[in-house]
Amino acid sequence: MRAAMARQLSRIMRPDDANIAGNVHGGTILKMIEEAGAIISTRHCNSQAGEPCVAALARVERTDFLSPMCIGEVANVSAEITYTSRHSVEVQVNVMSENILTGAKKVTNKATLWYVPLSLKNVNKVLEVPPIQYARKEQEDEGKKRYEEQKLDRLETKQRNGDVILPVINPDRQTKEPHTVGYSQSSLIHLVGPSDCTLLGFVHGGVTMKLMDEVAGIVAARHCKTNIVTASVDAINFHEKIKKGCVITVSGRMTFTSNKSMEIEVFVDADPFVDEPRERYRAVSAFFTYVSLSKEGKPLPVPQLLTETEDEKRRFEEGKGRYLQTKAKRQAQMQQAPQQ
Amino acid sequence: MRAAMARQLSRIMRPDDANIAGNVHGGTILKMIEEAGAIISTRHCNSQAGEPCVAALARVERTDFLSPMCIGEVANVSAEITYTSRHSVEVQVNVMSENILTGAKKVTNKATLWYVPLSLKNVNKVLEVPPIQYARKEQEDEGKKRYEEQKLDRLETKQRNGDVILPVINPDRQTKEPHTVGYSQSSLIHLVGPSDCTLLGFVHGGVTMKLMDEVAGIVAARHCKTNIVTASVDAINFHEKIKKGCVITVSGRMTFTSNKSMEIEVFVDADPFVDEPRERYRAVSAFFTYVSLSKEGKPLPVPQLLTETEDEKRRFEEGKGRYLQTKAKRQAQMQQAPQQ
Amino acid sequence: MRAAMARQLSRIMRPDDANIAGNVHGGTILKMIEEAGAIISTRHCNSQAGEPCVAALARVERTDFLSPMCIGEVANVSAEITYTSRHSVEVQVNVMSENILTGAKKVTNKATLWYVPLSLKNVNKVLEVPPIQYARKEQEDEGKKRYEEQKLDRLETKQRNGDVILPVINPDRQTKEPHTVGYSQSSLIHLVGPSDCTLLGFVHGGVTMKLMDEVAGIVAARHCKTNIVTASVDAINFHEKIKKGCVITVSGRMTFTSNKSMEIEVFVDADPFVDEPRERYRAVSAFFTYVSLSKEGKPLPVPQLLTETEDEKRRFEEGKGRYLQTKAKRQAQMQQAPQQ
């Protein structure tokens, strides 16, 4: 038994980490968060004698981007193990931006990730997680509650995910009206290389999230034609591993707009096109929320999404539901903790 | 049997993709073109039951850079299989730059690539290509004509390539007069890493082309000391595979200047220096054409190349021949299709 | 006044960080060391009210690579400010490799770096460094001694460096005998991009060191045609800043071989080739020591370097001097602290 360990990771943000307005891409931050999580959980799962294993990302809880990070700032990422069940590890990660010239620091993200230890010898075998010690009994109880909640949600998404129809990607925007779903719909393909992968030969969750954010950003920019930044990412479940040599197609379509935000649904499909008899499969899906910013960094109104088909209208209503739910939850939190 | 498939790939152009004036390097675009081609052709060649394979780049036809691409723009690359012979696949690729803020789109490149399927189990075994279906008979006939033409050209280059003498690179520019061949001559070495390679463990054609463009760009900039951009690349033949762990030497020398353009010959030599008995060999060679731009992006006059040796004079005349031929061909095309 | 601060930085080592035998390149480690140093010293120099500044690398003391780091391991880099003079900061950095599967940790490097704060508004203005507090008086005295020593050495190298003649690089190895200086001599060129640079627009010292190690590694591999790893780097002085948009030429030549090691001298020359009237200048130079390893990771005998010219013979003798001096120093240290 051992206590939850903290771990820090720092990096200077460079021009390639940011968009042309100088704001660091949400995807760059998600990738750093996941690297910190992967290190701390893999280390913990190997801390007792037994079969060596690699911690694989199973789920990321909803993540808000509280304030922007800029080129030249240092991103400080610290991770802590906050709960362990028999087969999974919860890691909480904090990201602070630090302007090393002025000394100013800001919390930019708080994220919660779930990892599962997979045997290094047999990638399909889930191992047991050494339990952590809690300073107080309530910490364990609260962790258990979070564990049960995410387990339920994972199950639900898995069922929903099976139904989802592959998005029809039509890059021929010339025939589409601006502000329709089809107009901004985008996709990119990426050939999974060695540097994208863990020791087990499948893609790091952080690499996948970075690509998802890139597509969501292109969809958002096409829709509102301004400088855009990631505001939040809904819970992401990693149902299926993606192996080295796959081609992954990352597709994004806008589902909902409020006055000042856009919701984009992103799918990741893997194509094990060489050496594998398997069909293309859906590996991950998630909702990203983006906001539009003026040159001075102020939020701008977003053009309303024009829905054409029945499916688009239904997805718009579902997006509205998620939007109102998040809004209500945030207001409730603010009333509970007015000082924060 | 299956129809030719279309495929799209998009990516935002970042600061590291461009020179200091903000123009995206031709090499970055060539690398994306090749990635799209490799994916679509590898998928096609694995579409029928049989030995799994990877499509290896055999040749790129002459490619013109019709308009510059800038940082912050989205590069949209779409690829289509347009012809198949028994052992090779022709892929046509279009690149559009899209300013997602203004919605402005421009065609920046049209390229044609030829791939050959190599067995995943035996890298020296060329497999058969599943035939595609043509909408019209003429498409097949025209494809066959293109196939025969490139086959002939490949054979010719192979013979010519054998004769080429290794360029003696003398980086001591202090003793050289400006505008001579020796003054701008440059070379770089690159240790082939895992990320440069396909599943078969040899270098992606796109990686090679990016390095070739990098050297050509340095030669051009050293000659005219201004902002320079890639205008076109002549047909490139990939005679020999380059394996992981090789050191490659990419050398460039200026061969010809017109009033507003420079032609640079680039060689790629591979050194299988660890664990291999083999000698250094010539893997690829090609001609790149560059233009010089003012700060406002207008074409500038180029200082004339000073030739000193007999070989340099001969190469200058050959370059002039290629220049005049291309010019004549382009004028003929413009008369045929004045509306385009 | 404030105490010396510690800072930690971690990263998983990926295939691209290593050679084909799986050993992480010394250059990758040097780059991480410098990033940690740059963060901690820039933060410190901005910790008091005054002109904002960026800490620029002025010197790296001799660095030994005590044990290899492998793909999949986590590199833990921690930095501490150990001395401040009026205009410079000494940072000591420790690198530990951690196998997160077995929990095994090893010290791989200990490095000492010197930084100088340059004004963000005027890159040529050196600012004053806020003094640190020492726990014990001896710490300050020892720091002052190290400061005086490096100052002297910097001055000496600067004078010596002026004399050094530009190496004539002849890549045509076919005409050279194996194991001669000319046979393994190599150079690479690199166009400085935005991601290579600090906020002041000049190249990060870590980027330069990574390129120097890359060239030294190629020279070493060409000489002995086996798997090679960095064993140590002699003190490196950064005489001149290298600006964005420069082309840098990094050249390496072997100077000395002992039974089991090779010494390679590396030069970095900058070419401010666009928009600058300035001539090419020598920015950095250093000696790297490499060892050759068998497939099992055991040190192999190194073929003796064949010297042909008087200069080569002189450099061989000088290298032998450095080798014997280092050997004597190491033996003296081992007798002083046999348990360590």
Side-chain angles (χ1 to χ4, degrees), chain B residues 182-193:
Chain B
Y183 182 82
S184 59
Q185 211 167 257
S186 303
S187 78
L188 64 79
I189 48 177
H190 175 75
L191 182 57
V192 174

Side-chain angles (χ1 to χ4, degrees), chain A residues 18-26 68 213-231 254 260-262 264 289-295 297-303, chain B residues 12 100-101:
Chain A
N19 62 23
I20 28 174
N23 297 121
V24 172
H25 294 295
D213 178 70
E214 193 175 333
V215 164
I218 291 175
V219 173
R222 278 178 168 157
H223 181 77
C224 62
K225 302 189 184 301
T226 55
N227 175 30
I228 45 86
V229 289
T230 319
M254 196 163 288
K260 298 210 171 161
S261 71
M262 298 159 270
I264 297 118
T289 300
Y290 270 74
V291 290
S292 165
L293 296 180
S294 70
K295 281 188 181 153
K298 300 272 174 229
L300 289 176
V302 167
Chain B
I12 300 180
I100 44 178
L101 304 186

Side-chain angles (χ1 to χ4, degrees), chain C residues 53-315:
Chain C
C53 62
V54 170
L57 183 64
R59 179 180 161 92
V60 181
E61 299 292 348
R62 182 189 162 79
T63 305
D64 291 306
F65 291 79
L66 308 170
S67 66
M69 173 113 52
C70 298
I71 298 175
E73 291 187 333
V74 173
N76 293 301
V77 182
S78 57
E80 197 185 350
I81 295 183
T82 41
Y83 182 74
T84 51
S85 73
R86 197 173 162 201
H87 289 301
S88 64
V89 180
E90 185 197 54
V91 181
Q92 290 190 4
V93 181
N94 277 276
V95 185
M96 303 265 291
S97 70
E98 178 188 0
N99 182 324
I100 46 178
L101 304 186
T102 64
K105 285 181 194 180
K106 279 184 190 168
V107 174
T108 59
N109 292 78
K110 291 183 180 196
T112 303
L113 301 92
W114 295 88
Y115 286 88
V116 170
L118 302 179
S119 164
L120 199 57
K121 286 164 197 156
N122 175 359
V123 68
N124 296 313
K125 187 175 165 195
V126 177
L127 301 181
E128 295 208 1
V129 173
I132 58 163
Q133 259 176 342
Y134 302 92
R136 288 169 299 115
K137 179 73 174 69
E138 305 92 82
Q139 291 178 337
E140 185 168 6
D141 296 343
E142 288 162 18
K144 195 173 175 61
K145 206 179 135 204
R146 290 192 302 271
Y147 170 72
E148 297 297 345
E149 280 171 4
Q150 63 88 28
K151 204 173 161 182
L152 196 67
D153 188 79
R154 253 156 95 169
L155 203 69
E156 279 173 12
T157 325
K158 202 168 185 172
Q159 287 165 344
R160 196 176 59 222
N161 221 31
D163 299 336
V164 172
I165 296 144
L166 275 167
V168 177
I169 302 296
N170 183 351
D172 185 7
R173 257 172 307 283
Q174 260 116 354
T175 67
K176 296 277 178 185
E177 284 299 305
H179 309 138
T180 58
V181 175
Y183 182 82
S184 59
Q185 211 167 256
S186 304
S187 79
L188 65 78
I189 49 177
H190 176 74
L191 182 59
V192 173
S195 282
D196 300 328
C197 292
T198 66
L199 282 179
L200 290 175
F202 56 74
V203 180
H204 281 292
V207 171
T208 310
M209 289 193 285
K210 191 165 184 278
L211 290 168
M212 293 171 85
D213 178 69
E214 195 175 328
V215 165
I218 289 172
V219 173
R222 278 180 167 158
H223 182 77
C224 63
K225 299 188 184 300
T226 55
N227 175 30
I228 46 85
V229 289
T230 319
S232 68
V233 187
D234 261 30
I236 311 180
N237 294 302
F238 292 80
H239 305 295
E240 294 253 21
K241 290 183 286 289
I242 303 170
K243 283 172 82 178
K244 191 157 68 184
C246 278
V247 168
I248 55 181
T249 303
V250 187
S251 315
R253 64 178 170 205
M254 196 164 286
T255 44
F256 167 75
T257 49
S258 72
N259 286 341
K260 298 212 171 160
S261 71
M262 298 159 269
E263 189 196 60
I264 297 118
E265 187 170 20
V266 182
F267 302 97
V268 180
D269 296 296
D271 238 329
F273 74 140
V274 176
D275 278 343
E276 292 247 357
R278 202 180 164 186
E279 283 294 299
R280 167 187 279 226
Y281 59 92
R282 171 72 33 93
V284 195
S285 64
F287 292 101
F288 283 71
T289 300
Y290 270 74
V291 290
S292 165
L293 296 181
S294 70
K295 282 189 180 153
E296 296 73 35
K298 301 270 174 229
L300 289 177
V302 167
Q304 203 190 327
L305 182 67
L306 302 179
T307 51
E308 294 171 312
T309 69
E310 283 311 305
D311 277 346
E312 288 175 9
K313 287 182 208 306
R314 179 181 49 76
R315 286 196 293 262

